[in-house]
Amino acid sequence: MTTLIEVPDVEPGTAAPKSKSAPGGGLGKYIVIRFFLIIPTIFILVTLVFFLMRVIGDPITASQGGRLPPDVLAQRIHDAGYDRPILVQYFEYLGQLITGNFGTTITDRRPVVEMLTTFGAATLELSINALLVALLVGIPLGLIAAQRRDKTTDAFLRCFAILCYATPVFFSGLLLKLTFSVWLGWLPVAGRVSTRTELAMGGLANPSGIYWLDALRSGNFAALGDVMSHAVLPAVALGLLTAGVFLRLVRTNVIGTLGKDYVEAGRSRGVSEYRLLTKHAYKPALIPIITVMGLQIALMLGGAVLTETTFEWKGLGYQLVQYLNARDFVAVQGIVVLLAVIVAVTNFVVDIVAALIDPRVRY
Amino acid sequence: MALNKKALHGVIALAGVSALALTACTGPTGGTSTAPAGGPIAYGTTDKVTALDPAGSYDNGSFMVMNQIYSFLLNSKPGGADPVPDLAESSSFTSPTEYTVKLKSGLKWSNGHTLDSKDVKFSFDRQVKINDPAGPASLLTNVESVSTPDANTVVFKLKLANDQTFAQILSSPAAPIVDDEVFPADKLLADDDIIKASAFYGQYTIDSYKKNELVSFKANADYKGVLGKPANDAATIKYYASPTNLKLDIQQGNIDVAFRSLSATDVDDLKKDSKVKVHVGPGGEIRYITFNFDTMPFGTKTAGADPAKALAVRQAIANLVDRQTIADQVYKGTYLPLFSNVPSGFLGANESFKDAYGDAGKPSLDKAKKVLADAGVTGAVTLNLQYNPDHYGGSSGDEYALVKEQLEKSGLFKVNLQSTEWVTYSKASRADEYPLFQFGWFPDFSDADNYLTPFFPDGGFLKNHYNNPAVTALINKQLTTADKSAREAGIKDAQNALAKDISTLPLLQGAQVAIAGSSVKGVENTLDASFKFRLGTISK
């Protein structure tokens, strides 16, 4: 489900008059309040995930429950410290978190921070690619839909938009994979890069983990091509999810702007329709895109879990599923904390941008 | 509104070109390319590595990598499962409780360190000392101490005399030998540190390592173990989350071998694909139904407790299950009917259940009716049968639906089929919550005893309240019988006795299934009863 935000009807180029009665008043205070709201948000999420993960069981039972006598299993759980009082474990975990110690994953024994940076880079790459697809598809099609308002093209594009954000990403992903990889054989089935390319790029010093960037840095254009070919389907599958939102948003805003008095006035002065669209309607319609883009980050991260699993794109979403199945609560908590921080910070930035654009949203 | 169409088309074209730019650079390494002949052997799997430190992992994914980079005192040659000297020159019992191993001389780790008896003692001592919850230290419970009279001699002092499984223990996941100058004695060593220290003595060394993504191996020229020189210069392991992606990649030639774990449907589909070949080898995995002797119908803790009737219920079920149909319909031949507690391929394995129940492997309604009637059981018996949908593969639901159908079709049983997720299931099944339940087993090492000792003496790890001192005596006897044919006879006796009691009802035996490109050779050589996949046997 995607919620379209209401875009305040502010005439482009003008700021709403500061309301003296607006509670709280200033931007500074607003920023401070919004910033401090991040902390309880993350705290609540961390707490929720901690207790939920304990409810679904421990990793020792998950991996060895079918092989060991109950007493031996209980001893191993005890040795690992998973049978201590839950609150003791919780406060210990909070203490570690405050000191920046995320611990070591249980099931594959790697430092959580290293795991987050390794797989975070992959998710960041996928998100950038998907955002690019969303913008390249959503904005032009939104413009066309607005320009062809209430015509067949418009109806078709609106249906397309609904399909985009209503289709589960694993379904669209599988469909894309079947079409372009299995039937047509144009693109790779899965993964971020082919084995040969990965080995060839293995010698790169201080790799960023963002493959196209690393391929560019190494000047290996064959590798870049390989990376890009692997990136297409996951990016399209995830990008279309947001493209539908952008399409509808651009359409709505352009239609709204094209109906404004100042546009009508321009029209009556003989300004071309193209100039009206690009000069007066197009740019203002992009402002809500910026704010919505921030809100879509959470949607994208959610979509990334399914996209990464479908396409073997080894990012945070992919790992989250693996660790959840193995009941590796240390790893799951680490990933969720990072995702929570990303979403909270993004929303914070969006709030600030929105407040700068439209002072009426301030407290 | 008549928009300037030319301009609008320009905007769209720009978007289109930008989108296409993503794919414009597609090189020849796309999904449809085939792996180059003579290049590294590309192996794909859905298994995962927990740790490369032998003290910190006890799973198929980790052990598979260990088998390429470490050696054992004893190991089996491809094609067999009998342990033969690997790092050892010779090995034998020098007294009932002493097992002495003479090492080859002049062994060196890939980092140049000397490999001698000190490393061996260190490897076993640290396993026991670390005793990691996820590690295999429990396999070494019979080792009292390890001593090193000289640089080439290791003496294991055992608690149980004449333990006939000890040679297998020395080639098990508890027994890879590690470099004492690299590994700490009391804690695990991280994968990256192992690789940095180049602490390898196996057919391969690790060239590059991205955990659970891609491992690259290079043949180790200094290796002089039992496996010999690998048939290839290099190999890679690629890790998958989805069996579907693994299947598609082997079909498209992006990997040479796919092993563990494709679904039965995928394997069946791949059998029809001319570009790949399906290799099937003996498997040690078994599936069975466990009876809780306290809570099953007429069990000792039920209202109508009657051991004779309870036995009749178990025997009637044994007469009714149609294993072949389950194997064919649900598992498409990736599992085979199992007619004994010890699967075929192991010393002494027989088909005790085939002889005792049913009609030459087929179900027998008449026999089922007779045993129940003889015991005085009247009317349909209600069975609460539990299975797990997430630990033993996605086909468990189909498997148990078929079991239910087979039992109910007889009119002798009414089956309430229930399923529970694994963590809860694994605990509840051994806490008397399930009267009948599904379980599976993958052996710790390749010996028939691994299907007997963990299961049946004093209820075994199943805690199903089965305890027959006569059976326990038979199992203990075969474990310490040095004479092979006498031991074989003892194992058969134990199976026959177990078939009479039916503590567990064997259903299926898994096969090892590897899919390889049609030009790939040597896969069949490693699909043996040791259950160790060796990349060194493969070439293309």
Side-chain angles (χ1 to χ4, degrees):
Chain A
M1 276 293 291
T2 306
T3 312
L4 294 181
I5 59 161
E6 278 298 322
V7 182
D9 191 12
V10 182
E11 206 160 290
T14 65
K18 276 189 185 173
S19 167
K20 281 182 184 170
S21 62
L27 180 65
K29 188 178 179 182
Y30 174 77
I31 291 172
V32 169
I33 291 168
R34 298 303 296 176
F35 177 76
F36 281 106
L37 277 177
I38 293 175
I39 297 163
T41 305
I42 292 170
F43 173 77
I44 289 165
L45 199 70
V46 162
T47 304
L48 207 61
V49 170
F50 179 91
F51 286 103
L52 285 175
M53 283 305 294
R54 293 310 188 278
V55 167
I56 66 169
D58 66 275
I60 303 283
T61 307
S63 64
Q64 300 171 54
R67 301 192 68 84
L68 299 172
D71 53 331
V72 178
L73 188 67
Q75 184 60 48
R76 290 196 175 194
I77 290 167
H78 174 76
D79 292 344
Y82 302 145
D83 61 346
R84 291 173 303 152
I86 191 105
L87 284 176
V88 170
Q89 292 185 58
Y90 173 66
F91 287 116
E92 188 181 85
Y93 171 64
L94 279 187
Q96 287 175 341
L97 217 55
I98 288 161
T99 57
N101 176 10
F102 281 70
T104 303
T105 62
I106 300 161
T107 48
D108 57 1
R109 301 177 186 281
R110 56 169 120 200
V112 171
V113 172
E114 180 229 298
M115 181 267 289
L116 294 178
T117 50
T118 302
F119 297 112
T123 300
L124 180 65
E125 181 177 350
L126 175 63
S127 302
I128 292 168
N129 296 344
L131 197 59
L132 199 63
V133 169
L135 292 169
L136 290 173
V137 172
I139 294 172
L141 293 184
L143 284 170
I144 294 167
Q147 195 270 325
R148 309 285 299 163
R149 184 183 178 180
D150 297 332
K151 299 216 165 56
T152 313
T153 312
D154 179 34
F156 172 78
L157 288 174
R158 276 191 287 165
C159 286
F160 171 73
I162 292 166
L163 267 179
C164 278
Y165 59 77
T167 307
V169 74
F170 67 84
F171 179 74
S172 58
L174 282 174
L175 218 57
L176 287 165
K177 197 155 74 168
L178 280 171
T179 308
F180 294 100
S181 301
V182 180
W183 293 336
L184 297 172
W186 291 354
L187 293 163
V189 167
R192 291 178 64 198
V193 68
S194 69
T195 301
R196 226 178 325 160
T197 303
E198 189 156 8
L199 292 174
M201 294 200 320
L204 190 68
N206 304 317
S208 66
I210 297 173
Y211 282 4
W212 55 259
L213 194 63
D214 291 339
L216 274 174
R217 279 176 57 213
S218 64
N220 186 340
F221 289 99
L224 182 65
D226 184 46
V227 168
M228 288 302 199
S229 70
H230 281 81
V232 174
L233 293 183
V236 170
L238 185 56
L240 285 180
L241 202 66
T242 303
V245 178
F246 287 176
L247 192 158
R248 286 183 67 95
L249 204 64
V250 170
R251 178 189 174 276
T252 306
N253 283 285
V254 169
I255 287 169
T257 314
L258 284 174
K260 292 266 186 261
D261 289 347
Y262 69 94
V263 176
E264 287 296 342
R267 201 171 275 130
S268 64
R269 287 200 305 273
V271 179
S272 73
E273 204 64 33
Y274 170 71
R275 191 168 167 78
L276 283 173
L277 186 75
T278 53
K279 190 82 181 166
H280 298 287
Y282 170 63
K283 281 183 188 168
L286 287 187
I287 293 169
I289 289 275
I290 294 161
T291 55
V292 168
M293 206 186 284
L295 297 170
Q296 290 299 310
I297 292 285
L299 183 74
M300 261 193 185
L301 289 173
V305 173
L306 295 168
T307 310
E308 288 179 5
T309 306
T310 304
F311 290 100
E312 296 279 342
W313 187 277
K314 289 175 180 170
L316 287 176
Y318 171 96
Q319 289 301 126
L320 184 63
V321 174
Q322 305 290 308
Y323 288 129
L324 267 170
N325 286 335
R327 273 68 169 187
D328 189 334
F329 32 70
V330 175
V332 171
Q333 283 157 195
I335 292 173
V336 170
V337 169
L338 180 68
L339 296 182
V341 168
I342 291 169
V343 173
V345 169
T346 307
N347 283 332
F348 170 71
V349 172
V350 167
D351 286 344
I352 304 308
V353 170
L356 287 169
I357 292 170
D358 181 7
R360 288 176 301 176
V361 303
R362 301 174 201 170
Y363 296 122
Chain B
M1 284 181 280
L3 177 68
N4 181 332
K5 282 188 181 171
K6 196 173 165 187
L8 191 61
H9 290 168
V11 174
I12 297 159
L14 179 66
V17 167
S18 308
L20 283 171
L22 273 171
T23 58
C25 309
T26 306
T29 49
T32 53
S33 68
T34 51
I41 297 297
Y43 168 101
T45 183
T46 59
D47 282 345
K48 293 280 175 281
V49 173
T50 299
L52 296 184
D53 186 331
S57 61
Y58 189 12
D59 56 87
N60 285 310
S62 303
F63 194 49
M64 192 275 169
V65 177
M66 284 182 210
N67 273 300
Q68 321 307 319
I69 58 172
Y70 300 128
S71 286
F72 304 79
L73 291 176
L74 306 177
N75 204 347
S76 54
K77 287 179 179 168
D82 291 335
V84 294
D86 185 5
L87 291 174
E89 202 164 65
S90 64
S91 67
S92 63
F93 276 99
T94 43
S95 84
T97 55
E98 277 191 356
Y99 193 88
T100 302
V101 179
K102 290 277 181 193
L103 289 176
K104 288 172 180 155
S105 52
L107 297 172
K108 290 238 180 284
W109 293 99
S110 55
N111 54 21
H113 297 165
T114 302
L115 196 169
D116 60 14
S117 62
K118 209 149 52 78
D119 295 290
V120 175
K121 176 177 165 53
F122 174 82
S123 300
F124 286 96
D125 286 351
R126 78 185 287 269
Q127 276 279 15
V128 175
K129 186 169 189 174
I130 291 170
N131 192 20
D132 190 86
S138 59
L139 294 176
L140 302 175
T141 47
N142 195 27
V143 177
E144 192 174 288
S145 64
V146 184
S147 58
T148 53
D150 60 57
N152 287 337
T153 309
V154 184
V155 180
F156 293 91
K157 189 152 178 50
L158 307 181
K159 295 171 193 167
L160 173 74
N162 292 315
D163 177 359
Q164 295 307 301
T165 66
F166 193 68
Q168 283 287 357
I169 295 286
L170 292 182
S171 66
S172 75
I177 306 305
V178 298
D179 185 348
D180 70 336
E181 293 178 63
V182 170
F183 285 75
D186 55 357
K187 61 176 197 245
L188 299 176
L189 188 64
D191 293 2
D192 289 341
D193 294 333
I194 295 170
I195 289 150
K196 219 179 289 172
S198 190
F200 308 120
Y201 188 81
Q203 277 190 305
Y204 296 91
T205 59
I206 290 180
D207 209 18
S208 71
Y209 184 76
K210 286 181 85 175
K211 191 162 193 165
N212 290 329
E213 291 185 65
L214 184 69
V215 185
S216 162
F217 299 92
K218 202 168 61 182
N220 179 5
D222 299 327
Y223 173 72
K224 295 179 182 67
V226 71
L227 302 178
K229 188 177 182 293
N232 54 69
D233 295 331
T236 60
I237 300 179
K238 191 174 180 182
Y239 294 91
Y240 293 78
S242 153
T244 309
N245 289 329
L246 177 63
K247 179 202 172 195
L248 290 171
D249 260 2
I250 187 75
Q251 277 185 301
Q252 299 202 345
N254 297 325
I255 53 173
D256 300 309
V257 184
F259 184 62
R260 294 181 55 89
S261 296
L262 291 165
S263 71
T265 316
D266 282 344
V267 172
D268 200 43
D269 189 38
L270 287 164
K271 282 176 183 168
K272 300 162 199 151
D273 190 330
S274 61
K275 296 195 295 296
V276 297
K277 193 170 174 204
V278 177
H279 299 267
V280 181
E285 191 179 356
I286 62 168
R287 299 287 168 83
Y288 53 94
I289 296 173
T290 304
F291 296 93
N292 185 308
F293 278 54
D294 276 4
T295 60
M296 70 169 290
F298 309 110
T300 50
K301 295 275 170 69
T302 60
D306 185 336
K309 285 182 177 176
L311 176 62
V313 167
R314 296 196 297 275
Q315 289 177 331
I317 293 169
N319 278 306
L320 290 172
V321 288
D322 185 351
R323 297 171 176 85
Q324 190 66 56
T325 301
I326 298 169
D328 292 344
Q329 278 189 24
V330 180
Y331 291 103
K332 320 281 183 196
T334 57
Y335 279 79
L336 304 167
L338 175 64
F339 290 99
S340 176
N341 296 99
V342 177
S344 64
F346 289 90
L347 180 76
N350 63 12
E351 296 197 314
S352 52
F353 279 77
K354 198 175 192 173
D355 303 334
Y357 306 105
D359 180 13
K362 293 260 181 290
S364 170
L365 178 58
D366 293 342
K367 281 188 178 179
K369 281 178 175 169
K370 187 176 183 309
V371 290
L372 289 173
D374 290 351
V377 178
T378 53
V381 178
T382 300
L383 303 174
N384 293 317
L385 176 58
Q386 280 273 356
Y387 74 93
N388 169 263
D390 56 295
H391 189 71
Y392 296 117
S395 299
S396 289
D398 297 335
E399 179 187 340
Y400 276 79
L402 209 47
V403 169
K404 172 183 160 84
E405 184 190 306
Q406 289 170 1
L407 296 179
E408 288 189 335
K409 200 170 61 180
S410 68
L412 303 173
F413 294 103
K414 165 82 182 74
V415 181
N416 297 323
L417 202 55
Q418 292 150 337
S419 66
T420 312
E421 67 79 37
W422 175 247
V423 173
T424 303
Y425 183 92
S426 63
K427 286 179 174 170
S429 56
R430 269 88 56 71
D432 298 339
E433 289 184 35
Y434 307 150
L436 287 78
F437 56 94
Q438 170 205 30
F439 242 51
W441 180 258
F442 193 88
D444 300 302
F445 48 86
S446 297
D447 191 280
D449 178 70
N450 200 233
Y451 297 90
L452 301 171
T453 296
F455 287 78
F456 304 113
D458 304 321
F461 81 97
L462 294 168
K463 296 292 174 217
N464 65 335
H465 309 288
Y466 169 70
N467 189 16
N468 182 340
V471 169
T472 301
L474 285 170
I475 290 171
N476 290 342
K477 187 169 170 238
Q478 62 77 31
L479 179 59
T480 54
T481 302
D483 180 75
K484 197 171 177 180
S485 58
R487 185 175 180 228
E488 186 175 2
I491 291 167
K492 283 180 175 164
D493 291 345
Q495 290 168 92
N496 293 336
L498 284 166
K500 285 195 181 96
D501 293 348
I502 321 184
S503 166
T504 65
L505 178 66
L507 283 183
L508 300 164
Q509 172 177 1
Q512 293 182 88
V513 180
I515 319 296
S518 49
S519 64
V520 175
K521 301 179 196 75
V523 175
E524 61 283 359
N525 298 337
T526 192
L527 297 182
D528 55 41
S530 72
F531 315 121
K532 292 179 175 181
F533 197 100
R534 301 174 181 95
L535 292 168
T537 63
I538 302 168
S539 62
K540 57 179 177 178

